[in-house]
Amino acid sequence: MAAPVKVPSTVPSNNSLDVEGEKDTFSTLHNDDTRSNLSHSLFLGLRGTKLQNAVSLLAGIGFLLFGYDQGVMGSLLTLPAFRDTFKDIDVVKHPSNATLQGFVIAVYEIGCLAGALATMYFGDRFGRLKMIFYGCWIMLIGAILQTSAYGIAQLIVARVVSGVGNGFITSTVPMWQSECARPENRGKMVIMQCSLITLGITISYWIDFGFYFVKDSSAAWRFPIAFQLVFIVLILPLVMKLPESPRWLMKRGRVEDARRVFAALEGCDIHSEFVEAEILDVSNSLKEEEAEVVAQGGDASMSAFANMKIMFRQGKHKNFHRVMLGVWSQIMQQITGINLITYYAGTIFESYIGMSPLNSRILAACNGTEYFLFSWVAYFTIERFGRRKLMLFGCLGQTASMAILTGTTWAADIHNGNNSHAAIVAAVFLFVFNSFFAVGWLGMTWLYPAEIVPLSIRAPANGLSTAANWSFNFMVVMITPVAFETIGSYTYTIFAVMNFLMIPVVYFLYPETAGRSLEEMDKIFSELNPMTPWDVVGIAKKTPMEAEKGASV
């Protein structure tokens, strides 16, 4: 029998980051589950695979809420009841309102940006579960304000409030999921939750379609907006009863709580060799990162905000390089042009391809459904082919789709011949673009930033990368109505070029993370010369995985 692993008696000294007066909330909430039987830990009566699935399901509902909120406005913009309530953003009768319409829809991203930036500070201070919990309450308030809006000012404020809550959730959920998952399942679990983004979009499109038949009533748009409350109500009573991230618990010095979570997620005894090895691995990684923080001028006893500056220094583990990989993955996701379609699908089909209002809503709903179905392709291929290959596959297909959309939407335009065959092809390639994106980029950029950065800066780094996502999301959503009104079909040309330029960036700069533990990435980047950042791809390829090394012993 192998000798038991010895756990260091010391733990990271980050306890100074604790909120003043913070109680051991985790232990209190799970008193019955964790203290009644110290050899086994249960959460909601679950452990092992069932508990991992429960974490993934709740994380998925959080992203389903995110998707629903993104998709719900697209078909409402051309709805008579909505246009009558918000005349200042009616571009059907007044095309000059395009800029204001773009701002009102995109201001949601400003709120998301603010929430993501706040997570940089509060993410490590309050923990993963509390950030999701608070985010849901803020979104609940925002949803109520949106539903009851009668003027542009209230609608803008309401969308900002909802955005702040969504910023909390989207910055935290992938990190929580990644820190709770085993390396061999981490990609599939995050991809599954991101597939639920598309399910949320799909549900929003079909509800918009159903309420299109509600005539002469503001319920036609108020109910679709209010429906997001259903998902919030599902999350709120359950989130605090699920396990906190064991790595966050270790970072706060709560080793026994982390031990219980590791055991519960694995479905084993809390004193098993697996749990001892996980505790040792994370503890060693944290001590090494803490020493690096001090070496770079930080202080383990300082506030989380003060130590954020470590993100922008290289150090042994190349922190800045890794943060930038996460940030630019999120930026690239947005400059693919996906939210041009997600936010404005119904409007595009009706106003720019020339479909009837009814057919436009049917096609938008079918587009969302197909998007959801194709997102599951990544679930079955993410661990087999890895992150890099799927991202490159997506870029190639997205480039071709946007190029074809340029030509077909130009030919379908009423000023260029109103070619009905071209309109059909354009409609098809809106579906095709979504398919490539769903496989290559939908979940990848929510997974990758959480995998690539060290634990010591994971919360602020994920907050920053998510803020980058929302910044460029805002840009795309804001400029889309204006671009369509000024350059028309050539809007798609811009995104075709962007997708093409992303191919060499991914190929030369993004290392594979599939199958790697979160601590293994530290070792890979420690070998990198910061003057030749492209070498990391080759280093990752030639570095054996811990699982492979274990199998060969």
Side-chain angles (χ1 to χ4, degrees), residues 2 54 57 65 83 143 152 183 189 199 231 241 333 341 343 346 405-406 439 495 528:
L57 179 61
L65 171 61
R83 292 190 287 113
I152 291 294
M189 293 298 99
L199 179 59
F231 309 122
K241 297 182 182 297
Q333 187 198 57
I341 299 171
Y343 276 80
L405 280 165
T406 299
V439 175
F495 293 108
L528 177 66

PDB file of all heavy atoms in Angstrom, residues 2 54 57 65 83 143 152 183 189 199 231 241 333 341 343 346 405-406 439 495 528:
ATOM      1  N   ALA A   2       0.512   2.236  -0.779  1.00  0.00           N
ATOM      2  CA  ALA A   2       1.293   3.464  -0.853  1.00  0.00           C
ATOM      3  C   ALA A   2       1.219   4.219   0.456  1.00  0.00           C
ATOM      4  O   ALA A   2       0.211   4.195   1.161  1.00  0.00           O
ATOM      5  CB  ALA A   2       0.800   4.349  -1.996  1.00  0.00           C
ATOM      6  N   ALA A  54     -25.033  18.157 -10.608  1.00  0.00           N
ATOM      7  CA  ALA A  54     -25.865  19.201 -10.005  1.00  0.00           C
ATOM      8  C   ALA A  54     -25.186  20.561 -10.110  1.00  0.00           C
ATOM      9  O   ALA A  54     -25.831  21.574 -10.409  1.00  0.00           O
ATOM     10  CB  ALA A  54     -26.158  18.866  -8.545  1.00  0.00           C
ATOM     11  N   LEU A  57     -25.518  21.607 -13.668  1.00  0.00           N
ATOM     12  CA  LEU A  57     -26.887  21.996 -14.001  1.00  0.00           C
ATOM     13  C   LEU A  57     -27.184  23.405 -13.512  1.00  0.00           C
ATOM     14  O   LEU A  57     -27.725  24.232 -14.256  1.00  0.00           O
ATOM     15  CB  LEU A  57     -27.878  21.008 -13.389  1.00  0.00           C
ATOM     16  CG  LEU A  57     -29.366  21.311 -13.637  1.00  0.00           C
ATOM     17  CD1 LEU A  57     -29.677  21.298 -15.137  1.00  0.00           C
ATOM     18  CD2 LEU A  57     -30.247  20.313 -12.905  1.00  0.00           C
ATOM     19  N   LEU A  65     -30.027  31.713 -18.289  1.00  0.00           N
ATOM     20  CA  LEU A  65     -30.558  33.043 -17.996  1.00  0.00           C
ATOM     21  C   LEU A  65     -29.829  34.102 -18.820  1.00  0.00           C
ATOM     22  O   LEU A  65     -30.452  35.012 -19.388  1.00  0.00           O
ATOM     23  CB  LEU A  65     -30.399  33.328 -16.502  1.00  0.00           C
ATOM     24  CG  LEU A  65     -30.702  34.738 -16.006  1.00  0.00           C
ATOM     25  CD1 LEU A  65     -32.148  35.116 -16.283  1.00  0.00           C
ATOM     26  CD2 LEU A  65     -30.389  34.836 -14.510  1.00  0.00           C
ATOM     27  N   ARG A  83     -43.005  49.125 -30.194  1.00  0.00           N
ATOM     28  CA  ARG A  83     -42.682  50.386 -30.875  1.00  0.00           C
ATOM     29  C   ARG A  83     -43.608  51.512 -30.430  1.00  0.00           C
ATOM     30  O   ARG A  83     -43.190  52.671 -30.347  1.00  0.00           O
ATOM     31  CB  ARG A  83     -42.753  50.200 -32.392  1.00  0.00           C
ATOM     32  CG  ARG A  83     -41.657  49.290 -32.925  1.00  0.00           C
ATOM     33  CD  ARG A  83     -41.574  49.304 -34.444  1.00  0.00           C
ATOM     34  NE  ARG A  83     -42.679  48.602 -35.075  1.00  0.00           N
ATOM     35  CZ  ARG A  83     -43.620  49.189 -35.808  1.00  0.00           C
ATOM     36  NH1 ARG A  83     -43.615  50.502 -35.974  1.00  0.00           N
ATOM     37  NH2 ARG A  83     -44.589  48.471 -36.361  1.00  0.00           N
ATOM     38  N   ALA A 143     -35.008  42.769 -13.970  1.00  0.00           N
ATOM     39  CA  ALA A 143     -36.090  42.191 -14.779  1.00  0.00           C
ATOM     40  C   ALA A 143     -37.434  42.834 -14.439  1.00  0.00           C
ATOM     41  O   ALA A 143     -38.252  43.106 -15.329  1.00  0.00           O
ATOM     42  CB  ALA A 143     -36.151  40.685 -14.562  1.00  0.00           C
ATOM     43  N   ILE A 152     -38.196  55.347 -22.099  1.00  0.00           N
ATOM     44  CA  ILE A 152     -36.835  54.990 -22.453  1.00  0.00           C
ATOM     45  C   ILE A 152     -35.905  55.066 -21.247  1.00  0.00           C
ATOM     46  O   ILE A 152     -35.044  54.203 -21.052  1.00  0.00           O
ATOM     47  CB  ILE A 152     -36.309  55.906 -23.577  1.00  0.00           C
ATOM     48  CG1 ILE A 152     -37.039  55.612 -24.886  1.00  0.00           C
ATOM     49  CG2 ILE A 152     -34.809  55.730 -23.776  1.00  0.00           C
ATOM     50  CD1 ILE A 152     -36.763  54.235 -25.437  1.00  0.00           C
ATOM     51  N   PRO A 183     -10.079  17.374 -14.290  1.00  0.00           N
ATOM     52  CA  PRO A 183      -9.479  17.830 -15.550  1.00  0.00           C
ATOM     53  C   PRO A 183     -10.049  17.155 -16.789  1.00  0.00           C
ATOM     54  O   PRO A 183     -10.274  17.796 -17.813  1.00  0.00           O
ATOM     55  CB  PRO A 183      -7.994  17.486 -15.361  1.00  0.00           C
ATOM     56  CG  PRO A 183      -7.781  17.509 -13.892  1.00  0.00           C
ATOM     57  CD  PRO A 183      -9.070  17.003 -13.289  1.00  0.00           C
ATOM     58  N   MET A 189     -18.033  19.776 -19.093  1.00  0.00           N
ATOM     59  CA  MET A 189     -18.973  20.395 -18.163  1.00  0.00           C
ATOM     60  C   MET A 189     -19.215  21.865 -18.513  1.00  0.00           C
ATOM     61  O   MET A 189     -20.351  22.340 -18.509  1.00  0.00           O
ATOM     62  CB  MET A 189     -18.443  20.275 -16.736  1.00  0.00           C
ATOM     63  CG  MET A 189     -18.380  18.866 -16.172  1.00  0.00           C
ATOM     64  SD  MET A 189     -20.002  18.051 -16.045  1.00  0.00           S
ATOM     65  CE  MET A 189     -19.993  17.032 -17.525  1.00  0.00           C
ATOM     66  N   LEU A 199     -29.770  27.444 -25.417  1.00  0.00           N
ATOM     67  CA  LEU A 199     -31.141  27.044 -25.070  1.00  0.00           C
ATOM     68  C   LEU A 199     -31.920  28.260 -24.583  1.00  0.00           C
ATOM     69  O   LEU A 199     -33.101  28.434 -24.928  1.00  0.00           O
ATOM     70  CB  LEU A 199     -31.125  25.958 -23.998  1.00  0.00           C
ATOM     71  CG  LEU A 199     -32.507  25.478 -23.536  1.00  0.00           C
ATOM     72  CD1 LEU A 199     -33.312  24.907 -24.693  1.00  0.00           C
ATOM     73  CD2 LEU A 199     -32.370  24.441 -22.414  1.00  0.00           C
ATOM     74  N   PHE A 231     -36.075  31.589 -14.349  1.00  0.00           N
ATOM     75  CA  PHE A 231     -34.744  31.010 -14.193  1.00  0.00           C
ATOM     76  C   PHE A 231     -34.066  31.530 -12.926  1.00  0.00           C
ATOM     77  O   PHE A 231     -33.360  30.790 -12.239  1.00  0.00           O
ATOM     78  CB  PHE A 231     -33.891  31.323 -15.427  1.00  0.00           C
ATOM     79  CG  PHE A 231     -34.561  30.969 -16.718  1.00  0.00           C
ATOM     80  CD1 PHE A 231     -34.783  31.934 -17.693  1.00  0.00           C
ATOM     81  CD2 PHE A 231     -35.015  29.684 -16.958  1.00  0.00           C
ATOM     82  CE1 PHE A 231     -35.409  31.618 -18.877  1.00  0.00           C
ATOM     83  CE2 PHE A 231     -35.657  29.363 -18.142  1.00  0.00           C
ATOM     84  CZ  PHE A 231     -35.856  30.329 -19.107  1.00  0.00           C
ATOM     85  N   LYS A 241     -26.660  26.068  -1.310  1.00  0.00           N
ATOM     86  CA  LYS A 241     -26.645  24.715  -0.758  1.00  0.00           C
ATOM     87  C   LYS A 241     -25.689  23.786  -1.509  1.00  0.00           C
ATOM     88  O   LYS A 241     -25.529  22.627  -1.143  1.00  0.00           O
ATOM     89  CB  LYS A 241     -28.062  24.127  -0.768  1.00  0.00           C
ATOM     90  CG  LYS A 241     -29.052  24.882   0.104  1.00  0.00           C
ATOM     91  CD  LYS A 241     -30.421  24.227   0.096  1.00  0.00           C
ATOM     92  CE  LYS A 241     -31.402  25.034   0.949  1.00  0.00           C
ATOM     93  NZ  LYS A 241     -31.019  25.101   2.362  1.00  0.00           N
ATOM     94  N   GLN A 333     -14.096  36.255 -29.381  1.00  0.00           N
ATOM     95  CA  GLN A 333     -15.445  35.689 -29.464  1.00  0.00           C
ATOM     96  C   GLN A 333     -16.442  36.731 -29.960  1.00  0.00           C
ATOM     97  O   GLN A 333     -17.318  36.442 -30.777  1.00  0.00           O
ATOM     98  CB  GLN A 333     -15.898  35.161 -28.101  1.00  0.00           C
ATOM     99  CG  GLN A 333     -17.229  34.415 -28.181  1.00  0.00           C
ATOM    100  CD  GLN A 333     -17.912  34.274 -26.843  1.00  0.00           C
ATOM    101  OE1 GLN A 333     -18.194  35.255 -26.172  1.00  0.00           O
ATOM    102  NE2 GLN A 333     -18.180  33.033 -26.450  1.00  0.00           N
ATOM    103  N   ILE A 341     -26.066  38.557 -34.880  1.00  0.00           N
ATOM    104  CA  ILE A 341     -27.175  37.639 -35.170  1.00  0.00           C
ATOM    105  C   ILE A 341     -28.026  37.402 -33.933  1.00  0.00           C
ATOM    106  O   ILE A 341     -29.265  37.468 -33.988  1.00  0.00           O
ATOM    107  CB  ILE A 341     -26.628  36.305 -35.713  1.00  0.00           C
ATOM    108  CG1 ILE A 341     -25.849  36.542 -37.010  1.00  0.00           C
ATOM    109  CG2 ILE A 341     -27.764  35.301 -35.955  1.00  0.00           C
ATOM    110  CD1 ILE A 341     -25.087  35.336 -37.516  1.00  0.00           C
ATOM    111  N   TYR A 343     -28.643  39.134 -31.182  1.00  0.00           N
ATOM    112  CA  TYR A 343     -29.479  40.248 -30.729  1.00  0.00           C
ATOM    113  C   TYR A 343     -30.470  40.712 -31.791  1.00  0.00           C
ATOM    114  O   TYR A 343     -31.530  41.241 -31.467  1.00  0.00           O
ATOM    115  CB  TYR A 343     -28.600  41.437 -30.328  1.00  0.00           C
ATOM    116  CG  TYR A 343     -28.055  41.361 -28.916  1.00  0.00           C
ATOM    117  CD1 TYR A 343     -26.957  40.574 -28.622  1.00  0.00           C
ATOM    118  CD2 TYR A 343     -28.646  42.075 -27.881  1.00  0.00           C
ATOM    119  CE1 TYR A 343     -26.444  40.510 -27.330  1.00  0.00           C
ATOM    120  CE2 TYR A 343     -28.144  42.023 -26.592  1.00  0.00           C
ATOM    121  CZ  TYR A 343     -27.044  41.237 -26.327  1.00  0.00           C
ATOM    122  OH  TYR A 343     -26.545  41.171 -25.052  1.00  0.00           O
ATOM    123  N   GLY A 346     -34.271  38.463 -35.558  1.00  0.00           N
ATOM    124  CA  GLY A 346     -35.590  38.766 -36.101  1.00  0.00           C
ATOM    125  C   GLY A 346     -35.594  40.008 -36.969  1.00  0.00           C
ATOM    126  O   GLY A 346     -36.235  40.048 -38.032  1.00  0.00           O
ATOM    127  N   LEU A 405     -22.410  35.787 -46.757  1.00  0.00           N
ATOM    128  CA  LEU A 405     -23.502  36.674 -46.348  1.00  0.00           C
ATOM    129  C   LEU A 405     -23.351  38.065 -46.962  1.00  0.00           C
ATOM    130  O   LEU A 405     -24.353  38.717 -47.279  1.00  0.00           O
ATOM    131  CB  LEU A 405     -23.542  36.781 -44.815  1.00  0.00           C
ATOM    132  CG  LEU A 405     -24.222  35.618 -44.088  1.00  0.00           C
ATOM    133  CD1 LEU A 405     -23.897  35.641 -42.602  1.00  0.00           C
ATOM    134  CD2 LEU A 405     -25.730  35.661 -44.310  1.00  0.00           C
ATOM    135  N   THR A 406     -22.128  38.509 -47.150  1.00  0.00           N
ATOM    136  CA  THR A 406     -21.915  39.820 -47.788  1.00  0.00           C
ATOM    137  C   THR A 406     -22.561  39.852 -49.166  1.00  0.00           C
ATOM    138  O   THR A 406     -23.325  40.771 -49.512  1.00  0.00           O
ATOM    139  CB  THR A 406     -20.407  40.122 -47.922  1.00  0.00           C
ATOM    140  OG1 THR A 406     -19.809  40.161 -46.632  1.00  0.00           O
ATOM    141  CG2 THR A 406     -20.196  41.468 -48.621  1.00  0.00           C
ATOM    142  N   VAL A 439     -19.854  25.276 -32.379  1.00  0.00           N
ATOM    143  CA  VAL A 439     -18.856  24.226 -32.213  1.00  0.00           C
ATOM    144  C   VAL A 439     -17.512  24.794 -31.759  1.00  0.00           C
ATOM    145  O   VAL A 439     -16.858  24.249 -30.861  1.00  0.00           O
ATOM    146  CB  VAL A 439     -18.663  23.433 -33.529  1.00  0.00           C
ATOM    147  CG1 VAL A 439     -17.523  22.421 -33.393  1.00  0.00           C
ATOM    148  CG2 VAL A 439     -19.954  22.721 -33.919  1.00  0.00           C
ATOM    149  N   PHE A 495     -16.708  41.518 -40.462  1.00  0.00           N
ATOM    150  CA  PHE A 495     -16.575  40.351 -39.592  1.00  0.00           C
ATOM    151  C   PHE A 495     -15.898  39.177 -40.304  1.00  0.00           C
ATOM    152  O   PHE A 495     -15.233  38.361 -39.653  1.00  0.00           O
ATOM    153  CB  PHE A 495     -17.949  39.954 -39.046  1.00  0.00           C
ATOM    154  CG  PHE A 495     -18.514  40.979 -38.101  1.00  0.00           C
ATOM    155  CD1 PHE A 495     -19.572  41.791 -38.474  1.00  0.00           C
ATOM    156  CD2 PHE A 495     -17.961  41.153 -36.844  1.00  0.00           C
ATOM    157  CE1 PHE A 495     -20.082  42.750 -37.606  1.00  0.00           C
ATOM    158  CE2 PHE A 495     -18.455  42.108 -35.964  1.00  0.00           C
ATOM    159  CZ  PHE A 495     -19.513  42.899 -36.344  1.00  0.00           C
ATOM    160  N   LEU A 528       8.410  29.137 -20.096  1.00  0.00           N
ATOM    161  CA  LEU A 528       8.312  30.018 -21.260  1.00  0.00           C
ATOM    162  C   LEU A 528       9.203  31.242 -21.125  1.00  0.00           C
ATOM    163  O   LEU A 528       9.248  31.878 -20.067  1.00  0.00           O
ATOM    164  CB  LEU A 528       6.857  30.453 -21.449  1.00  0.00           C
ATOM    165  CG  LEU A 528       6.568  31.449 -22.581  1.00  0.00           C
ATOM    166  CD1 LEU A 528       6.840  30.814 -23.940  1.00  0.00           C
ATOM    167  CD2 LEU A 528       5.127  31.944 -22.495  1.00  0.00           C
TER     168      LEU A 528
END
